[in-house]
Amino acid sequence: MRFAFLFLLIFSFTHTQAQVRLSDEAEIIVVTIGPYQGEVWSAFGHSGIRIVDPNRSIDWFYNYGLYDFDQENFFLNFAQGLLKYKVGVSRYDRVYRYYEKQNRFIKEQYLNLSQEDKQAFFNFLQQNVRPENAEYLYNYVYDNCATKIRDVPEGLFIGRIKWDESYKLEGKTIRDLMDDYLDYQPWGDLAIDLGLGMQIDREALASEYKFLPDYVHKAFEGATIANDSSEVALVKKSLTTFEPEEEEFQNRLLTPLNTFIILFFVVGLITHRNLKSGKRTKWIDALVFSIVGFAGWWVVFLWFGTEHLSKNNLNILWAIPFHFPLIFFAGKEKFRNFFKTYFKVLAYWYCLVLIAWAMLPQPLHQSLVPLVLTMVLRSFYISYDLRKPKAS
């Protein structure tokens, strides 16, 4: 879907931009591709538009999920949320074989359009795919390869389409909708929960569900379109043209939860040994507090420096950026009084965060709980260690 990347450009081909008149045999088809667990961006599925006209030897797939690695300032734009996506056109047989090889379902919805409407749809796509028109500013939720499939007919047939919105569930947020697709992408799920703020934690409008291909499919399935004197179903025929083989997906052993639990016990063992020996293992503090500090600076960057949906991000409550580089000064004698108070306050702060965890308006990822417990443990220990009389 919205995370389909440039690899699909290998299917692109040069096609004529001359005006083509579709024959009476032409069909406009919305294509929905199932999720794929090979990459996190493919776990949400994909959408596109197929144009078929056997009398004109046309069988083309219009794909709004492309981007160009060669665009100017690519990595900076990616980091800032200013990446330009583009629409491209490919031969459908190649696209079909590609998704079939990935074992992803392929569903087609034939639109119930007049010949005039079909021609207008086709003309728009042909014009949109021209290099000077092809690019658009991508947004995870509001402007992606799935929302474009909704936007094209809405823009062409203004006021004529009524969408089916029976799929909407009370209280479901945009984050909830994303989470539905991330059961087998635990690290991707954590990255999304870490990077996106409270902007996605309000109840999603029915129209906002359509940033996901499955809901675009559902919306089209029950939609109607008004013609001159009647209102008819927007989809006249639905087919599943490829049914994937059943697969068993298993999460990797080192999920975020398992990783942070292991970290907690390792740090606990080190802390136990420190208490017995009376010496602090400074490298473990540098490691743990730097990781959390870097996470904090990433949250700050996304919040203030990008156009992602990352503002008002409550991960800042635990991912405190000042940990990096402050942790490297904790052993300096001239800062001893400051840091013994700093880490004591920090320990109690993290305890409060854990108490409030389930009540926060932004759901924080549950796998982070053992990481925050690790911070509590080590903060208390560092404060205790700094309060000990200085060795003579």
Side-chain angles (χ1 to χ4, degrees):
M1 64 151 280
R2 57 196 174 94
F3 298 113
F5 285 91
L6 187 63
F7 61 80
L8 289 177
L9 282 174
I10 63 175
F11 301 131
S12 296
F13 67 99
T14 303
H15 67 289
T16 179
Q17 292 294 338
Q19 183 71 25
V20 176
R21 292 298 303 176
L22 296 177
S23 75
D24 292 342
E25 301 298 316
E27 297 285 358
I28 312 293
I29 306 166
V30 173
V31 181
T32 304
I33 313 298
Y36 172 63
Q37 301 302 329
E39 309 95 7
V40 65
W41 54 83
S42 298
F44 300 94
H46 188 46
S47 296
I49 298 170
R50 179 187 181 192
I51 307 290
V52 179
D53 189 343
N55 293 337
R56 300 287 186 266
S57 299
I58 291 173
D59 193 356
W60 297 341
F61 182 75
Y62 293 81
N63 176 12
Y64 282 86
L66 308 176
Y67 64 68
D68 185 358
F69 279 108
D70 293 328
Q71 67 178 265
E72 188 176 356
N73 299 320
F74 173 85
F75 290 104
L76 179 62
N77 289 339
F78 177 79
Q80 292 183 314
L82 298 174
L83 190 64
K84 290 182 179 179
Y85 270 55
K86 63 194 299 183
V87 56
V89 59
S90 314
R91 284 173 48 185
Y92 184 67
D93 60 336
R94 294 182 178 180
V95 174
Y96 186 94
R97 288 197 298 271
Y98 178 79
Y99 290 124
E100 181 183 39
K101 187 176 180 180
Q102 289 187 333
N103 198 38
R104 304 167 71 171
F105 72 68
I106 303 174
K107 297 180 180 180
E108 298 183 348
Q109 293 167 302
Y110 288 67
L111 300 189
N112 192 11
L113 302 176
S114 66
Q115 189 64 24
E116 181 182 356
D117 287 342
K118 290 178 183 179
Q119 188 66 49
F121 208 123
F122 178 66
N123 290 349
F124 174 85
L125 292 174
Q126 285 289 86
Q127 186 67 20
N128 200 193
V129 82
R130 293 178 66 89
E132 63 269 27
N133 302 324
E135 291 186 337
Y136 68 97
L137 190 60
Y138 176 85
N139 181 283
Y140 296 137
V141 174
Y142 299 111
D143 210 353
N144 63 46
C145 72
T147 64
K148 289 294 186 185
I149 309 307
R150 168 202 68 194
D151 293 344
V152 172
E154 275 191 347
L156 285 171
F157 314 128
I158 297 173
R160 292 172 56 193
I161 296 177
K162 292 182 181 178
W163 296 108
D164 173 34
E165 297 182 345
S166 61
Y167 50 74
K168 186 182 184 306
L169 299 175
E170 186 176 353
K172 200 157 183 98
T173 68
I174 294 170
R175 194 185 302 272
D176 293 334
L177 291 168
M178 291 181 176
D179 286 346
D180 288 343
Y181 291 82
L182 295 170
D183 286 346
Y184 302 105
Q185 300 288 341
W187 287 102
D189 185 29
L190 175 61
I192 288 171
D193 278 354
L194 177 61
L196 301 186
M198 287 194 290
Q199 292 163 282
I200 64 168
D201 290 312
R202 56 171 177 78
E203 183 174 352
L205 302 174
S207 61
E208 291 172 330
Y209 280 59
K210 284 177 275 191
F211 80 95
L212 293 165
D214 281 340
Y215 289 101
V216 172
H217 181 88
K218 291 176 182 179
F220 270 91
E221 199 65 23
T224 61
I225 184 168
N227 291 326
D228 292 337
S229 58
S230 62
E231 191 173 271
V232 298
L234 181 56
V235 175
K236 65 181 179 181
K237 180 173 67 173
S238 295
L239 300 173
T240 299
T241 57
F242 179 72
E243 193 73 60
E245 297 178 6
E246 286 192 23
E247 295 181 278
E248 286 190 13
F249 297 104
Q250 295 181 345
N251 278 322
R252 301 177 184 90
L253 178 62
L254 285 182
T255 63
L257 180 61
N258 291 346
T259 299
F260 294 139
I261 288 174
I262 292 170
L263 178 65
F264 174 73
F265 280 106
V266 168
V267 172
L269 179 61
I270 290 173
T271 304
H272 175 70
R273 290 180 175 178
N274 288 169
L275 286 167
K276 292 181 68 175
S277 67
K279 295 181 180 180
R280 179 164 67 92
T281 305
K282 295 180 180 179
W283 69 263
I284 195 65
D285 297 325
L287 174 64
V288 173
F289 282 84
S290 293
I291 289 172
V292 174
F294 274 121
W297 286 118
W298 180 243
V299 168
V300 170
F301 169 71
L302 291 175
W303 188 332
F304 295 102
T306 77
E307 296 299 321
H308 296 298
L309 298 171
S310 303
K311 304 190 185 307
N312 304 318
N313 190 340
L314 295 187
N315 281 290
I316 201 69
L317 297 177
W318 67 268
I320 299 172
F322 303 117
H323 291 341
F324 181 85
L326 284 183
I327 188 60
F328 294 102
F329 296 91
K332 304 292 184 181
E333 187 60 33
K334 61 181 178 178
F335 301 126
R336 187 181 187 90
N337 289 333
F338 168 76
F339 278 112
K340 68 182 179 183
T341 302
Y342 175 81
F343 283 105
K344 184 177 181 180
V345 171
L346 193 63
Y348 285 114
W349 170 253
Y350 277 131
C351 288
L352 289 174
V353 170
L354 289 171
I355 291 169
W357 196 273
M359 298 178 284
L360 295 172
Q362 176 184 335
L364 303 183
H365 204 280
Q366 292 301 308
S367 70
L368 295 169
V369 171
L371 176 59
V372 177
L373 285 171
T374 302
M375 302 299 289
V376 171
L377 174 63
R378 209 59 194 172
S379 295
F380 271 127
Y381 176 74
I382 297 174
S383 177
Y384 160 78
D385 185 65
L386 293 174
R387 289 198 306 271
K388 292 189 304 183
K390 182 182 176 182
S392 56

